[in-house]
Amino acid sequence: MRGSAAWRGSTSWRGRFLGEDSLAEFTTRAIFTGILLGVTFGAANAYLGLRVGMTISASIPATVLTIALFRLLRIKGTLLEANMAKTVASASTSLATGTIFTIPALFLWGITPPFLQVVALCFLGGVFGIMAMIPLRRLLIVQSAGELPYPEGAACAEVLHAAYAGATGGAWIFYGIGIGFALKLAISLVYLLPAEIGFHLPLLPKAYLATAVAPALMGIGYILGFKRSAVIVSGAALASLVLIPMIAHFGAGLDQPVAPETTALIGDMTDGQIWKAYVRYIGAGAVAAAGLYTVVQTLPTIARTFLSVLQGLRRREDDVTSTPIRTDRDLPGSLVMGGLLLVLMVAAFVPGVFGQGMPLLPRLICALGVGVCGVLFVTVAARIVGLIGVSSQPTSGITLITLMLVSFLFVLAGWKGTAAMAAVLTVGTIVAIAASKAGDISQDLKTGAMVGATPALQQLGQLIGAACACWAVAATVLLLGKVYTFGSQELPAPQAMLMKTVIEGVLSGNLPWPLVLMGVGVTLPVILCGISALSFAIGVYLPLTSMAAIFLGGCVRRLVDRHRAARAESTGDEGDPGILAASGLVAGEGLAGVVVAALVAGKVVQSGGRPVFGGSPGQLLGLATMLLVGLFLWLASARRPSRSLSLPDSSG
């Protein structure tokens, strides 16, 4: 990273922040701030992930907001307090990721899980991931520092340094939150303008070219960049501009419904109905094939990673003192082992964790799956993110392997039916959260190692963050499941659909297999071309309206990068206020979406209102709104500071 070597070697800075054991760190205000931000980003990420199948890392935005809040409240916070608040806050991201990957599938099976069950699954997965990662800290974070850069963790250390070095510009995340929140309320609560703009294409039957009016999706596109957003929108364009028109063309003259549809004729269906009846199964097959391919690709890396960690643990230096220094102190080993065993015992012996009415033997098999797969994939995830970062962590593949292994055990034992599928799915929930949590805390511990934090306090902070965020994440998912329909265009929940497809395929086989296999066929050419198969497949499954908005954000990023290249500036994420502005858009719209869902669930307002500005005026207003959001991202990026990411000084 540019400029990082200079400050890491600065004696004065290290003397001020790394060498003082008395510096405030685990304080009430740091913990409270982290909990507040963690609940906020947990709810927002749950909403975002259910809509587009992706979440954003809360680490950098939480760091920015912590420093800014300290300044706003005139709190003289220390760097280690800010790091602690960020550590607590970032615990929510992994909980949201694992939950949205699995829990919506229960709704698709007609099961509404109890609130406390979802809370328990979130918390147990979080605790398991944290505890299983702790014994690996010295090996991965300290001894392998030269081999494993942990990019997000190092970037957060840069952010903290920039904040305390007096850089400016962190207000862009607040602008983004305000804009995202206000526009979402204007669209979904006041109904001032339409939620999407578009038009039907001539000659292509029922082909609809449209984009959602969604600042959060543009923010996601900016964060992903042009290339990845282009791959995603390509899959969506295939579905909306090829598959739907093809089905409409060849089915127009049929006088009988075509399975799996049982009542409606294709000629009478809208494009949305064709997507729901046919294309979403093709998309699910594409996502499943891409996910399985990712698993096959990842297996050699997983095997090498696990073996290298085992070898490293056997070679671990024996000169660690019985009373290590503050910056090398973990939570006690007895607490770690006790925490792992407690998670397995609660999962196995407390009825209702893996599903209602499950006998003891299946619960023991589920707990065994959690223990074996959890330890394996926590190890793998903690090392992989050290190389490629959290955003590229193969959580989908990890969850798929877990589900297939446990499903095969259930088939051998003769356990089938909806209850068995639900039990297998909840095993995947705990393992997915644990693996995601391991990657998350690894990055936090890397940041802590670079700024002189106390590992044991960070680990305790992560436990506190998980214990609080699990309630917000569970409430958000269940609330959205009550107000909306998972698997619909509003909340497609693509990852959960993938997990549902895998479990049903192994246990029951009750799927429209011709459509699913068509999706597999769609994915194969993409794999052969070397394109990101999973990104493309998610695009096939998700509506074009959402993917087009992501692509527009990617186009803004392309223009920004070209402008910077022409001026010989860095085009990376480091130091880009546009990333903060985009993260603010995501957080603001996500929070507003949860607020609207709560109002609808409480029958304070009704959903589905007609926009005040409809027709052509509404289309023009929606287009103008998207252009203004793009201009906002451009202006934020144009204010790129000269050194690292920018935050207000918290010394006042």
Side-chain angles (χ1 to χ4, degrees):
M1 291 190 178
R2 297 178 183 269
S4 61
W7 68 259
R8 277 197 295 266
S10 171
T11 303
S12 61
W13 188 84
R14 290 176 63 89
R16 181 181 175 189
F17 293 115
L18 300 186
E20 297 183 8
D21 288 354
S22 60
L23 197 66
E25 181 175 5
F26 194 87
T27 62
T28 302
R29 62 191 178 195
I31 300 301
F32 180 79
T33 302
I35 291 173
L36 176 64
L37 296 178
V39 168
T40 300
F41 278 102
N45 263 323
Y47 174 82
L48 177 70
L50 291 169
R51 187 168 183 181
V52 296
M54 308 172 192
T55 57
I56 63 167
S57 174
S59 294
I60 291 178
T63 306
V64 175
L65 287 172
T66 298
I67 302 298
L69 286 173
F70 282 0
R71 179 178 176 83
L72 181 66
L73 299 175
R74 299 187 179 278
I75 297 173
K76 191 177 181 180
T78 69
L79 181 147
L80 294 187
E81 282 182 294
N83 179 65
M84 179 57 64
K86 181 270 296 185
T87 300
V88 175
S90 65
S92 64
T93 304
S94 52
L95 301 187
T97 299
T99 305
I100 63 170
F101 273 23
T102 53
I103 295 300
L106 296 176
F107 287 82
L108 298 173
W109 286 323
I111 301 172
T112 302
F115 175 62
L116 290 180
Q117 181 190 8
V118 182
V119 171
L121 291 170
C122 287
F123 183 63
L124 292 175
V127 171
F128 196 96
I130 294 168
M131 294 301 183
M133 168 55 200
I134 290 174
L136 304 175
R137 182 191 62 83
R138 287 193 181 94
L139 171 66
L140 299 181
I141 307 300
V142 180
Q143 298 174 20
S144 303
E147 177 188 359
L148 304 176
Y150 287 98
E152 284 92 350
C156 284
E158 293 274 6
V159 172
L160 288 168
H161 173 256
Y164 284 82
T168 58
W172 285 104
I173 191 171
F174 291 98
Y175 299 152
I177 290 174
I179 291 172
F181 194 91
L183 287 178
K184 180 62 177 178
L185 293 184
I187 294 169
S188 301
L189 187 63
V190 184
Y191 303 110
L192 186 62
L193 65 159
E196 65 180 54
I197 55 175
F199 57 92
H200 289 277
L201 296 178
L203 302 180
L204 285 176
K206 299 180 181 176
Y208 187 54
L209 186 62
T211 179
V213 182
L217 299 184
M218 286 194 68
I220 283 290
Y222 186 94
I223 294 170
L224 293 177
F226 177 79
K227 184 176 180 180
R228 190 173 176 189
S229 62
V231 171
I232 292 173
V233 81
S234 298
L238 174 68
S240 295
L241 306 182
V242 178
L243 297 180
I244 290 178
M246 186 180 297
I247 293 172
H249 174 73
F250 289 107
L254 300 178
D255 57 2
Q256 295 290 330
V258 178
E261 178 59 43
T262 58
T263 57
L265 300 178
I266 291 179
D268 298 332
M269 290 182 176
T270 65
D271 59 293
Q273 290 170 332
I274 291 176
W275 175 86
K276 184 176 182 180
Y278 303 105
V279 176
R280 69 168 177 162
Y281 290 109
I282 297 175
V287 173
L292 291 173
Y293 173 71
T294 303
V295 170
V296 173
Q297 266 192 321
T298 309
L299 280 176
T301 302
I302 290 175
R304 288 195 301 269
T305 295
F306 192 68
L307 289 175
S308 66
V309 170
L310 290 178
Q311 292 169 0
L313 288 174
R314 284 196 295 265
R315 295 195 307 264
R316 194 168 71 180
E317 296 177 1
D318 298 325
D319 59 354
V320 178
T321 61
S322 58
T323 56
I325 60 174
R326 177 185 62 81
T327 55
D328 193 35
R329 188 179 305 144
D330 292 310
L331 290 177
S334 58
L335 179 63
V336 171
M337 294 305 299
L340 291 173
L341 292 175
L342 183 62
V343 167
L344 298 179
M345 291 179 64
V346 169
F349 295 107
V350 175
V353 173
F354 289 123
Q356 303 298 320
M358 287 291 296
L360 179 59
L361 183 57
R363 296 205 306 267
L364 290 174
I365 296 297
C366 290
L368 177 64
V370 168
V372 174
C373 295
V375 170
L376 170 64
F377 292 129
V378 160
T379 304
V380 169
R383 195 175 193 280
I384 286 180
V385 299
L387 292 169
I388 59 177
V390 173
S391 59
S392 301
Q393 182 178 351
T395 307
S396 295
I398 286 171
T399 311
L400 276 173
I401 294 175
T402 301
L403 294 180
M404 287 190 292
L405 289 175
V406 180
S407 294
F408 283 127
L409 290 177
F410 270 46
V411 169
L412 292 175
W415 302 325
K416 298 182 179 181
T418 304
M421 291 191 294
V424 172
L425 186 79
T426 51
V427 173
T429 303
I430 296 178
V431 173
I433 292 174
S436 185
K437 171 59 64 183
D440 176 63
I441 192 175
S442 298
Q443 299 289 353
D444 286 334
L445 291 171
K446 177 64 174 182
T447 304
M450 294 178 69
V451 301
T454 308
L457 295 181
Q458 284 190 283
Q459 293 153 10
L460 182 58
Q462 273 271 348
L463 287 171
I464 294 173
C468 296
C470 63
W471 300 88
V473 170
T476 301
V477 172
L478 294 181
L479 175 64
L480 294 173
K482 178 180 179 181
V483 175
Y484 303 105
T485 300
F486 293 135
S488 66
Q489 287 189 328
E490 176 67 24
L491 287 178
Q495 303 288 3
M497 177 61 77
L498 167 62
M499 307 310 163
K500 172 178 178 289
T501 301
V502 169
I503 295 174
E504 288 179 343
V506 176
L507 291 185
S508 69
N510 186 23
L511 281 174
W513 283 106
L515 294 175
V516 172
L517 293 176
M518 289 179 197
V520 175
V522 165
T523 301
L524 290 178
V526 177
I527 294 174
L528 294 175
C529 290
I531 301 172
S532 174
L534 193 55
S535 295
F536 182 87
I538 288 176
V540 175
Y541 179 73
L542 294 173
L544 177 61
T545 51
S546 298
M547 300 301 98
I550 291 176
F551 179 63
L552 291 176
C555 290
V556 175
R557 180 65 178 272
R558 180 66 171 266
L559 294 174
V560 168
D561 288 345
R562 283 188 172 182
H563 177 69
R564 289 176 180 163
R567 298 175 60 180
E569 296 178 359
S570 170
T571 58
D573 288 353
E574 181 189 348
D576 186 357
I579 296 292
L580 295 180
S583 299
L585 292 174
V586 172
E589 183 176 329
L591 292 175
V594 174
V595 170
V596 171
L599 293 175
V600 172
K603 299 183 179 179
V604 177
V605 298
Q606 292 184 344
S607 62
R610 295 178 62 86
V612 175
F613 294 97
S616 297
Q619 297 278 307
L620 292 175
L621 183 58
L623 179 61
T625 299
M626 297 295 281
L627 291 174
L628 289 174
V629 172
L631 179 61
F632 165 71
L633 291 171
W634 171 273
L635 291 175
S637 301
R639 298 299 190 273
R640 189 178 181 90
S642 59
R643 58 177 302 167
S644 196
L645 281 174
S646 53
L647 301 172
D649 187 0
S650 66
S651 59

